[in-house]
Amino acid sequence: MCVPEIYWDDCIQMKVDSSKKGIPISCISGRDRYECIDKVGRKEADVVAVDPEDMYLAAKHELASRAQYNIVEQIRTKEEADSQYRYEAVAVIHKNLKVDEPQQLKGLRSCHTGIGRNVGYKIPLTKLSAMGLLTDLNSPEYSSRENELRALSFFFKKACIVGTWSPDPKINQRLKETYSNLCALCEKPEVCDYPDNFSGYEGALRCLAQNVGDVAWTKVIYVRRFFGLSTHESNDAATPATTTTANPLKVKASDYRYFCPDGTKVPIDEKTQPCTWAARPWQGYMSNGGVADIDAVQRELTQLGKLGEEKKAGWWKNLLLLSEETLSVATSPIDPDQHLKVAKYLDVIERNFGAPERNARWCVYNKKAVEKCRAFSKAAFSRDARPRFDCILEKDEDACLKALQDDGADLLIMSGEKVEEAMKNYNVKPIVAESYGLGETEYSERPAVAITKRGSYIKSLRHLKGKNSCHSGYKEDFAGWIAPVHAMRNVRLISAPEDMAEFFVKSCVPGAERDSSLCSLCIGNLASKDENLAEMTRCSSTEAEDYKGGRGALKCLLDGKGHVAFIPLTAFRQENTTKITDFNLVCPNGGIARIDDWQRCNFGLEPPRVIVSFAGKSPNALEELTHGVLAASSLFSEHPDLLRLFGSWAGQSNVLFKDETLTLKSIDNSWNRWKQWAALQREYEY
């Protein structure tokens, strides 16, 4: 089984648990699920747990025909273990509503589960559009999200579509004000966000029954629950709706109908098969054509699921994607492309309502960055981030800036120190910045600090001579190397960067020469419990070195290896096990200070990397790019197991983004640090 590397410890435990029961399973680590799909395709692994969106990536993979991907088991709910699909999207109307074809929905009041959701948003959008009922979805004047909202706003008289319409608060507010009729049926129209009594699967039905809605978009099982019917083909009666649960008015199923895509109506009762608009397939386990004995694989996966449930193991949830409500069910192997088409879900994933061919072109200038950009582009598109990203490879940063200026590209990420010059010479506009979490300034700057344990008798930089040091990184690392070298040269403790190796007796500076004293405290990858691997990875500039980065250097200090850690303040602030009063800061100009005094006792504020576009673009085009980047990055910052957007990539640090980035955030007109950052770069160069 291929597993995302963040779950490697779970896999070790799964092997221990399964070997006791004689279930033969072993693991191969992938960077994330995206890479695992590739490894299964290359037959380096046999199976990976996937969502329908991952099945889409497999179906579109360059290896698809040779790999012969197959879905061999599905993860179903116990309540719907016999159902073919996870969601079955339905439209529900009152039996007396005079509609005989989908175009007669125009001008009615529509109830939805929420923005961006499958049955309540993506499926009606996709299917109504395919019928030619939603018009002008590709206007170049608007973003893809705004095109969708405009189309729904013109088609329906009123609606309730709650949620975050854009991850940028200003864009979110503007859209909700512009298309306020799409919030008019909500419990709190002025907020139009969760929690709302008329949102979600049951909320959409309440909106229909209680709040003068005409049509509700939801899924079958919730319709059955709402009306107190049995919840599937089994004869177990559902808990009848009461005045305190989903259906407070006790409305009757006999008063409502399923409204079908062909305009017919179907009774809502125990016997009649609902008509659906589309379905979302179950999650499942995907294998390849190289697996000879599919039956054996299915048996093992089923046994593993049962074992994990008995033990309530972490690996059961993280690796097998199972829970108390679900189980794995062996099914006839099916090609993922076919699986999505049968469910009428392929077009839902692929919908792209923006100006034709107006993709967001991301300019990069090295091979690793273009590789990561392409993975980001594919994974983000599969998971509904729009606009679609393209990746353009140029020879250097200046060529990318020229491409922005000449409308050959739309996005470029660059160091904050260089933005001032790019604004002046190429008329760029900063739109998004990296964010590193607790400990950064409001402009995403990270204070570089030197941290020691209290009681260590270190009262100034001079007292560090002959001591051991831990650093977050080497030459390109601001907090770990550039800032301390600059400070120590200023007070004449060293005359050149090379002198650091003599000033400190032992150090861990990940990225330095492995045989030098700068690497003598580094430990490599200890988690693997493999001495050879630990030695091979010792002092690596990636996460393979346990003391790499701000958190790694802090661990080096906490483990008692070093007397001082040169790190960004964010690494300390985010370490839950440290008590702030147990540590001091060493100040660049002499003396020590409490951690809270970092503003007067730091080695400099490191600017973030910044995503820029061309300032000559229309406000709507810039807004679309901002929204698209934030929508995609927020997804993968929350779910790094799907795609590891932040952190080292293919053995290299800081590819596209700085490794320590947690998420991205939008830039507004209050950002005014460009000149200071440019000056900082000149001052700190050595």
Side-chain angles (χ1 to χ4, degrees):
M1 177 175 267
C2 186
V3 303
E5 64 188 2
I6 62 168
Y7 296 139
W8 185 251
D9 288 348
D10 283 319
C11 199
I12 292 168
Q13 188 57 50
M14 180 173 75
K15 279 180 70 175
V16 170
D17 292 346
S18 62
S19 64
K20 289 174 186 168
K21 295 284 183 179
I23 306 168
I25 187 98
S26 64
C27 294
I28 286 175
S29 173
R31 178 193 59 246
D32 44 39
R33 207 183 289 173
Y34 184 93
E35 189 177 53
C36 278
I37 293 164
D38 188 69
K39 289 195 172 191
V40 169
R42 294 180 192 283
K43 301 181 177 143
E44 294 169 22
D46 300 313
V47 70
V48 57
V50 289
D51 297 332
E53 291 74 16
D54 303 310
M55 297 172 196
Y56 175 79
L57 290 173
K60 300 298 175 187
H61 199 288
E62 62 208 30
L63 292 173
S65 58
R66 273 185 293 150
Q68 296 175 294
Y69 289 113
N70 270 314
I71 311 305
V72 296
E73 286 221 335
Q74 292 175 12
I75 297 163
R76 297 183 179 175
T77 58
K78 292 171 183 174
E79 191 175 14
E80 298 178 279
D82 299 325
S83 283
Q84 197 176 355
Y85 303 113
R86 180 180 175 192
Y87 299 154
E88 291 178 285
V90 289
V92 179
I93 60 173
H94 196 275
K95 69 176 183 183
N96 297 330
L97 186 69
K98 290 183 169 38
V99 289
D100 301 303
E101 50 188 3
Q103 48 262 52
Q104 289 177 330
L105 294 173
K106 185 172 172 62
L108 299 185
R109 294 161 298 199
S110 187
C111 303
H112 301 254
T113 52
I115 191 96
R117 292 175 65 168
N118 277 297
V119 297
Y121 184 83
K122 291 197 280 194
I123 287 172
L125 251 176
T126 306
K127 303 305 175 180
L128 292 171
S129 166
M131 293 170 178
L133 303 181
L134 299 183
T135 53
D136 205 20
L137 276 158
N138 304 108
S139 169
E141 209 178 318
Y142 304 102
S143 69
S144 46
R145 172 52 60 86
E146 187 161 0
N147 272 315
E148 293 175 353
L149 293 165
R150 282 178 83 245
L152 291 170
S153 176
F154 293 154
F155 189 73
F156 293 116
K157 182 181 179 183
K158 290 181 179 178
C160 176
I161 307 178
V162 304
T164 304
W165 290 13
S166 171
D168 181 297
K170 279 191 176 167
I171 298 174
N172 183 52
Q173 187 62 30
R174 183 188 69 74
L175 290 173
K176 284 183 179 176
E177 287 171 4
T178 307
Y179 307 104
S180 59
N181 67 316
L182 298 181
C183 295
L185 292 188
C186 298
E187 180 190 17
K188 297 180 284 253
E190 67 291 346
V191 180
C192 200
D193 206 344
Y194 302 103
D196 192 287
N197 197 38
F198 300 134
S199 72
Y201 301 120
E202 290 171 347
L205 291 163
R206 279 193 291 271
C207 166
L208 173 70
Q210 291 173 240
N211 202 31
V212 297
D214 295 311
V215 58
W217 305 88
T218 185
K219 68 179 190 177
V220 170
I221 189 169
Y222 281 88
V223 176
R224 291 178 180 277
R225 282 182 189 161
F226 188 80
F227 291 116
L229 305 173
S230 66
T231 48
H232 215 255
E233 285 125 28
S234 69
N235 295 318
D236 301 333
T239 308
T242 69
T243 50
T244 57
T245 56
N247 183 356
L249 300 185
K250 292 192 176 178
V251 293
K252 295 178 187 144
S254 55
D255 289 333
Y256 292 85
R257 298 286 184 267
Y258 291 116
F259 181 64
C260 309
D262 65 0
T264 57
K265 298 168 192 170
V266 170
I268 299 172
D269 57 32
E270 300 284 9
K271 302 182 197 76
T272 314
Q273 187 69 24
C275 57
T276 63
W277 286 65
R280 176 171 163 80
W282 297 105
Q283 296 169 295
Y285 305 120
M286 188 167 69
S287 188
N288 58 48
V291 175
D293 193 346
I294 294 286
D295 289 346
V297 170
Q298 289 174 328
R299 267 197 312 276
E300 285 171 31
L301 289 167
T302 303
Q303 287 171 341
L304 271 176
K306 288 175 181 168
L307 176 64
E309 184 161 19
E310 277 169 33
K311 291 189 162 294
K312 301 288 180 279
W315 54 260
W316 175 58
K317 292 185 176 177
N318 294 335
L319 304 185
L320 300 183
L321 310 183
L322 292 167
S323 72
E324 307 280 358
E325 287 81 42
T326 59
L327 76 169
S328 56
V329 177
T331 53
S332 298
I334 184 168
D335 163 72
D337 187 59
Q338 191 60 23
H339 191 44
L340 295 169
K341 281 177 180 164
V342 170
K344 298 182 280 190
Y345 196 68
L346 192 69
D347 60 340
V348 177
I349 291 179
E350 289 187 326
R351 78 177 210 293
N352 193 13
F353 299 139
E357 305 307 313
R358 192 176 73 194
N359 295 340
R361 300 159 296 173
W362 202 302
C363 195
V364 294
Y365 46 90
N366 72 58
K367 293 278 174 58
K368 281 282 182 271
V370 82
E371 180 190 302
K372 184 173 185 177
C373 176
R374 283 174 184 155
F376 180 33
S377 165
K378 289 174 188 171
F381 183 79
S382 77
R383 292 188 178 268
D384 202 34
R386 300 292 184 272
R388 184 200 285 264
F389 296 125
D390 267 350
C391 307
I392 292 165
L393 182 63
E394 291 284 358
K395 68 177 191 300
D396 56 27
E397 189 170 80
D398 280 340
C400 276
L401 286 164
K402 186 88 170 59
L404 288 187
Q405 193 176 40
D406 297 344
D407 196 29
D410 302 298
L411 298 164
L412 168 67
I413 187 160
M414 61 193 311
S415 298
E417 307 94 290
K418 297 180 179 177
V419 172
E420 166 79 6
E421 191 179 349
M423 288 164 83
K424 193 166 63 184
N425 296 339
Y426 294 96
N427 194 25
V428 304
K429 181 176 176 63
I431 57 171
V432 171
E434 293 176 334
S435 178
Y436 312 101
L438 198 61
E440 69 179 7
T441 71
E442 63 181 304
Y443 303 114
S444 286
E445 299 155 314
R446 290 186 296 164
V449 293
I451 291 184
T452 59
K453 290 179 181 174
R454 283 192 71 183
S456 62
Y457 305 107
I458 293 165
K459 304 298 179 195
S460 72
L461 283 178
R462 296 180 184 282
H463 291 142
L464 292 173
K465 185 164 176 61
K467 298 287 194 294
N468 295 346
S469 61
C470 309
H471 303 248
S472 53
Y474 195 33
K475 289 185 175 175
E476 292 179 4
D477 190 290
F478 184 81
W481 190 256
I482 296 169
V485 163
H486 176 259
M488 291 168 78
R489 284 177 77 171
N490 273 359
V491 294
R492 296 191 170 81
L493 291 176
I494 60 170
S495 53
E498 303 80 64
D499 299 342
M500 294 283 273
E502 291 172 22
F503 185 83
F504 294 108
V505 176
K506 291 181 180 176
S507 301
C508 178
V509 190
E513 286 292 322
R514 196 190 302 173
D515 297 335
S516 73
S517 67
L518 292 179
C519 286
S520 53
L521 292 183
C522 294
I523 55 175
N525 186 340
L526 284 190
S528 66
K529 301 184 170 56
D530 179 332
E531 286 182 21
N532 291 333
L533 182 62
E535 181 51 34
M536 276 169 53
T537 53
R538 192 169 61 79
C539 213
S540 159
S541 61
T542 74
E543 284 88 348
E545 165 56 61
D546 285 354
Y547 287 165
K548 189 259 176 186
R551 290 187 173 190
L554 184 60
K555 186 175 188 303
C556 170
L557 176 73
L558 296 174
D559 287 351
K561 297 286 183 72
H563 299 98
V564 63
F566 294 102
I567 59 174
L569 181 67
T570 49
F572 183 85
R573 288 289 196 198
Q574 288 159 31
E575 179 54 61
N576 296 329
T577 58
T578 53
K579 263 179 73 182
I580 198 167
T581 51
D582 291 343
F583 299 87
N584 285 324
L585 298 176
V586 184
C587 305
N589 298 320
I592 56 173
R594 292 177 303 123
I595 301 289
D596 283 339
D597 281 344
W598 64 265
Q599 281 175 302
R600 72 167 182 83
C601 183
N602 69 73
F603 291 65
L605 302 179
E606 178 185 12
R609 283 191 186 174
V610 172
I611 296 171
V612 299
S613 189
F614 181 57
K617 288 184 184 295
S618 73
N620 275 344
L622 289 167
E623 186 181 276
E624 175 172 34
L625 292 168
T626 304
H627 169 89
V629 169
L630 293 177
S633 64
S634 60
L635 168 70
F636 296 123
S637 62
E638 285 174 37
H639 302 285
D641 54 316
L642 302 179
L643 181 82
R644 193 137 179 263
L645 191 56
F646 308 122
S648 59
W649 183 272
Q652 281 192 20
S653 279
N654 303 319
V655 179
L656 271 188
F657 307 101
K658 285 179 181 167
D659 288 352
E660 295 83 5
T661 308
L662 294 182
T663 187
L664 303 178
K665 64 183 181 186
S666 54
I667 287 171
D668 60 26
N669 293 331
S670 71
W671 285 57
N672 57 5
R673 304 281 293 161
W674 317 112
K675 281 188 167 56
Q676 290 96 313
W677 291 352
L680 181 89
Q681 185 184 19
R682 292 190 292 272
E683 184 190 345
Y684 278 68
E685 279 175 339
Y686 57 79

